[in-house]
Amino acid sequence: VHGTLGESVDLKRQLYRFPEQVLTNRGFWHGLPVQNTYLILQELVERGLFNKNFATQLRETLNFITGLRLKEQAILRKQGFAIPATPEEWES
């Protein structure tokens, strides 16, 4: 992997999206016919790839993360919060 970072890194968005991205990638890897993360999770349980306890905990985590994201968006009145990627941007 190679490339460059943009002017800012949206760290919170990346942390919020990570579990969703993992589930979506697993769905594509196993050729699931759905793209909704909750449906992907259900399909993975039905195929025996995840146990029900893990799926329940992951679903609760996704709900919690979504709640945090929506709460922060309401406070900021926008859909993102980019942090500076360079020392110069931190100082300004």
Side-chain angles (χ1 to χ4, degrees), residues 32-51:
L32 300 182
V34 295
Q35 292 182 1
N36 180 293
T37 53
Y38 294 100
L39 295 177
I40 292 171
L41 189 55
Q42 182 179 342
E43 287 274 340
L44 293 173
V45 170
E46 289 174 4
R47 292 185 181 200
L49 298 168
F50 290 161
N51 68 34

